[in-house]
Amino acid sequence: MKSEFLMLSLLILGPASPGNDIDVYLQPLIEELKDLWCNRLDTDNATKKETFKMYATLRSTTSDFPGYAMLSGYSTKGKFACPYCHYETGHRFLSNNNKSFYMAHRRFLDADHPWRYDTKAFDRETEERAAPEPLTGFEIEELLKDWKNNFGKLQPKKKNDGCPWRKSSIFHTLVY
Ligand SMILES: *[C@@H]1O[C@H](CO)[C@@H](O)[C@H](O)[C@H]1NC(C)=O
Ligand SMILES: *[C@@H]1O[C@H](CO)[C@@H](O)[C@H](O)[C@H]1NC(C)=O
Ligand SMILES: [Zn+2]
């Protein structure tokens, strides 16, 4: 993490968050990543004074949760807020002030954990379900197979409540 090993690869200007449009700004970077993986790049070895072919690959991204939504296309809000629990997110709604809240955390405890059967301290229910299984890459690929992305002014304002995705991320165009 030393500054001499960090490179600024992209800077998006503007007062507002790009939202899903981040994919438009990411296009040059994605092109470079594809090039670096598929064709490699002649790179100088200063010690040996010769060049070698360098591969580069995207390993991971770091962001806050709203940034996660922008980068991944997964909503991170409301009914499907949790990317790990996806369709099984323990979402509930407080109708008095229109706010979401989240339950079902006891699903992640060991099967015999006493809190699972502590109805008093929780929501008067026992919790016998196992933790939700995260979706696999293949399942997500299948779900987003025929997805049509719209960017800019064409971006739909209305939420599609049956689906936790808002777009098929530009990262899906990389070689996996
Ligand atoms: C660069 O050269 C040094 C010295 O020969 C060698 O140890 C190192 O592995 C080389 N690095 C690459 C990336 O080829
Ligand atoms: C909650 O949403 C409903 C429907 O959109 C609205 O009629 C109501 O005024 C909202 N309540 C509050 C407290 O914001
Ligand atoms: Zn979750």
Side-chain angles (χ1 to χ4, degrees), residues 13-25:
L13 295 172
S17 152
N20 278 352
D21 286 352
I22 198 168
D23 283 9
V24 177
Y25 298 100

Side-chain angles (χ1 to χ4, degrees), residues 88-102:
E88 296 183 54
T89 299
H91 172 261
R92 297 209 198 156
F93 196 69
L94 288 169
S95 49
N96 288 338
N97 62 358
N98 291 343
K99 287 202 191 307
S100 290
F101 69 106
Y102 299 92

Side-chain angles (χ1 to χ4, degrees), residues 15-164:
S17 152
N20 278 352
D21 286 352
I22 198 168
D23 283 9
V24 177
Y25 298 100
L26 282 171
Q27 283 179 81
L29 180 63
I30 297 289
E31 282 314 306
E32 279 186 12
L33 284 169
K34 283 180 188 164
D35 197 28
L36 279 164
W37 181 251
C38 300
N39 304 321
R40 303 179 292 170
L41 186 73
D42 284 325
T43 308
D44 192 35
N45 185 337
T47 320
K48 231 178 178 177
K49 297 200 169 51
E50 60 178 42
T51 60
F52 65 97
K53 290 277 189 189
M54 183 175 71
Y55 279 110
T57 179
L58 181 74
R59 262 188 90 243
S60 60
T61 60
T62 306
S63 62
D64 60 8
F65 213 41
Y68 184 114
M70 283 183 230
L71 292 174
S72 69
Y74 188 87
S75 98
T76 75
K77 286 188 276 197
K79 202 169 151 190
F80 304 118
C82 179
Y84 288 88
C85 302
H86 48 91
Y87 296 102
E88 296 183 54
T89 299
H91 172 261
R92 297 209 198 156
F93 196 69
L94 288 169
S95 49
N96 288 338
N97 62 358
N98 291 343
K99 287 202 191 307
S100 290
F101 69 106
Y102 299 92
M103 298 290 286
H105 303 99
R106 289 180 293 161
R107 292 182 71 175
F108 295 89
L109 296 171
D110 289 341
D112 56 354
H113 197 287
W115 287 2
R116 283 178 168 273
Y117 304 97
D118 183 346
T119 53
K120 254 200 189 129
F122 294 92
D123 55 358
R124 295 195 288 273
E125 315 254 341
T126 58
E127 179 58 86
E128 292 178 43
R129 295 171 298 174
E133 289 283 333
L135 295 171
T136 65
F138 293 111
E139 284 168 320
I140 294 170
E141 187 184 19
E142 188 60 28
L143 280 164
L144 297 178
K145 199 172 49 180
D146 299 316
W147 193 276
K148 293 254 182 306
N149 283 323
N150 292 314
F151 295 114
K153 291 200 181 84
L154 295 170
Q155 215 166 294
K157 289 274 182 287
K158 207 176 151 285
K159 281 190 285 188
N160 174 2
D161 274 337
C163 179

